[in-house]
Every structure is written in structure tokens, then in C-alpha cells.
Amino acid sequence: MACYHLLLLAILITSVASLQPTNGQLSPNYYSSTCPQALSIVKAAIAAAIKNETRIGASLLRLHFHDCFVNGCDGSVLLDDNATFIGEKTAVPNNNSARGFNVVDNIKAQLEKACPGVVSCADLLAIAARDSVVQLGGPSWTVRLGRRDSTTASRSAANTSIPPPTSNLSALISSFSAQGLSIKDLVTLAGAHTIGLSRCTSFRGHIYNDSNIDPSFASLRRRICPRSGNDSVLAPLDLQTPTFFDNLYYKNLLNHKGLLHSDQELFNGNSTDALVKSYAARNSLFFNEFPKSIIKMGNVKPLTGTAGEIRRNCRRAN
């Protein structure tokens, strides 16, 4: 009988251990026993948020990207400034631009009510990104979980780690390479710009100064974005279907109708042209590859084990 109990104990320990991330590896089953309703809570909240405002799906996807590119996927982008640090919300790539924080607060409150102190803010962002893409007609994927939250943030790191919309291809490649992401990942993840809007201040240089842009498209955007002023006026990143996740972003690039300088750099007589053409020709190929790249991005330097914490409020450390 003693041997039998020891065997049961060993099986239990092994089963629990299999749900925990080891050596930085994340698990899709991480919350299966500690908060089995976590995924359904996030999914329902995302559906409601997008029903209320379609644009929020792109905003939440962008938060995951901006989180992972600054010291790893640790929820640091969500932290408000405090007495010890200036957070990432006012960094150049995020200031008056990053949004969706109230939606994150709402989801986190629901998760805390169901499973107090269990689901991290970093994981919340990863799940929300997937559910937003699916809700807007894009592909699904299995989200790896088990990230923990940072207790600090860095505006300076956000300013240097997130590639600006003025980046050339070389700078984009370097920025992604610094995160362990390949040129293929760069082109694939850029496809997230099939949804969402951008501010005039981000695309002004492209529509006035660049030659690799369709003249009629540049003229169209100049109507709302003058050489000075109107910085916050918005235009869709995807000219055709800005609220639907598809491959038309790449087709726009082939026609020199990328909104941002950094977008059109991906199709400008360089090494990335061939992949842009492939994605433009086959939506199924893009849908097959996007999940692979975003899963890879979601595994950038996660805090696991005893590192970091599980924030109860995503805006501040416990």
C-alpha cells in the first residue's frame, strides 16, 4: 500500500510539474488546474470589447508586441509611472498612441475575481492578442502560458527597442534580430498592420518625402495630414480592410500603398520582396506562418519560476 501511495504521489508531482514552464519554456496548459476558466474569460471580454469598438483589437495586438520588444514579454508596458521609475507608456512609440489599457484592467479584474493572484498580466496580453486576431477574422494558435510580471519598466528601453515607423529595412532587421527574431518573422509579424490605424505624425514623412509611394495614395493621405499640424489625425494601416485580418496589407505594399515608411521598406527592391509577394498571393500561407512567428515573439525572455510576480493590478507592482 505504501508503494502505491508513493506511486500516486510521484504521478501527481510529475503532472503538476508538466504544467509549469521550465528553463524559460512556456506551456499551453499552465492554468488548466489553477484557473481553468481563464481562457474563456479573456475570450468573452475580447469579443465584447471589439463589439464595442472594432479598433481595440489592433490596439491589444500592438500592446503584446510593444511589451515583448522591451526586456521581454513581462507586462512592463502596462505599468504606470511611480516614484522609482518612469514607465513605458510615455515612451515615443507609445505616447498618445498605445491604448487598450482600460480593457486590460477590465479583463484583469474578472480574472482576479475568478482566480485571485493566478493569471499574469503578461499572459493576459498574449491571450488577448490571439483572441483579437481571431475575432477580426484571422488565424488562431495555441498560446503558450506561464509568464510572470515584471515589477519595473523602462521608458529608455522602450525608446530604443521598439522600431519607429521611420525605420529602414536594415534597422528593422537589427531590431527584430535583437529579440531573436528572423527576417521572415519581421515580414510575417508586420502583417499585423492589416488591422488598425496610425497617426499622421507617424506617416507624414512617407507621404511627403518618399518616392516609393503611389502618387494618388500619397495625395489621398495628404488631404488629412498636412506638413504640420493634425498630428493625431488617423488613417488605416490597411487601405482596404482595416478591421479585418487578411493579407491585403501585403497587396497594398505591391502597389506601393504602404502607409508607413517602415511598411513600404519591406517591398522596395530588397531581400524581403519575395516573401511579401508570396503572402500577397496566398492568404493561406500568411495565416499558416503568422501564428508561428507570434508564438516565437511571445517566448522572448519571459519571466518564469520565481522571477517577477503575478500582479493583482496590471498598472502597478504588488
Side-chain angles (χ1 to χ4, degrees), residues 45 128 184 203 244 247-248 256 271 281 290-292 305 308:
K184 182 178 181 180
F203 60 84
F244 192 74
N247 69 332
L248 292 186
H256 300 285
S271 59
F290 186 83
K292 298 176 186 177

Side-chain angles (χ1 to χ4, degrees), residues 41 47-49 63 75 77 112 116 119 132 136 143 148 156 166 181 183 191 193 205 217 246 251 258 261 283 317:
I41 288 173
L63 279 182
V77 70
E112 284 299 305
V119 181
S132 293
L136 295 174
V143 180
R148 288 168 64 85
S156 61
T166 54
L181 299 170
I183 295 176
H193 283 180
F217 176 64
D246 54 28
K251 293 184 179 183
H261 176 85
N283 190 63

Side-chain angles (χ1 to χ4, degrees), residues 80-109:
D80 289 340
D81 298 350
N82 63 27
T84 60
F85 64 79
I86 299 175
E88 297 160 26
K89 291 180 178 180
T90 55
V92 174
N94 297 326
N95 195 34
N96 298 318
S97 176
R99 56 196 304 276
F101 300 111
N102 290 338
V103 174
V104 171
D105 291 341
N106 174 55
I107 298 173
K108 180 59 172 172

Side-chain angles (χ1 to χ4, degrees), residues 147-202:
R147 302 167 192 81
R148 288 168 64 85
D149 298 322
S150 65
T151 58
T152 187
S154 172
R155 183 169 66 177
S156 61
N159 281 329
T160 57
S161 299
I162 300 171
T166 54
S167 300
N168 61 25
L169 182 61
S170 176
L172 290 169
I173 291 172
S174 296
S175 178
F176 275 68
S177 178
Q179 309 301 332
L181 299 170
S182 67
I183 295 176
K184 182 178 181 180
D185 295 321
L186 159 63
V187 178
T188 305
L189 291 172
H193 283 180
T194 183
I195 53 175
L197 306 172
S198 181
R199 300 166 67 222
C200 166
T201 186
S202 296

Side-chain angles (χ1 to χ4, degrees), residues 177-254:
S177 178
Q179 309 301 332
L181 299 170
S182 67
I183 295 176
K184 182 178 181 180
D185 295 321
L186 159 63
V187 178
T188 305
L189 291 172
H193 283 180
T194 183
I195 53 175
L197 306 172
S198 181
R199 300 166 67 222
C200 166
T201 186
S202 296
F203 60 84
R204 177 181 286 122
H206 183 47
I207 63 174
Y208 283 103
N209 303 328
D210 291 346
S211 59
N212 62 339
I213 184 171
D214 177 82
S216 62
F217 176 64
S219 178
L220 176 67
R221 290 294 166 248
R222 287 172 185 170
R223 294 176 192 171
I224 62 168
C225 182
R227 287 186 179 273
S228 63
N230 285 6
D231 285 358
S232 294
V233 168
L234 300 170
L237 287 160
D238 178 347
L239 177 65
Q240 302 177 71
T241 56
T243 60
F244 192 74
F245 199 97
D246 54 28
N247 69 332
L248 292 186
Y249 164 81
Y250 298 104
K251 293 184 179 183
N252 292 333
L253 297 186
L254 297 188

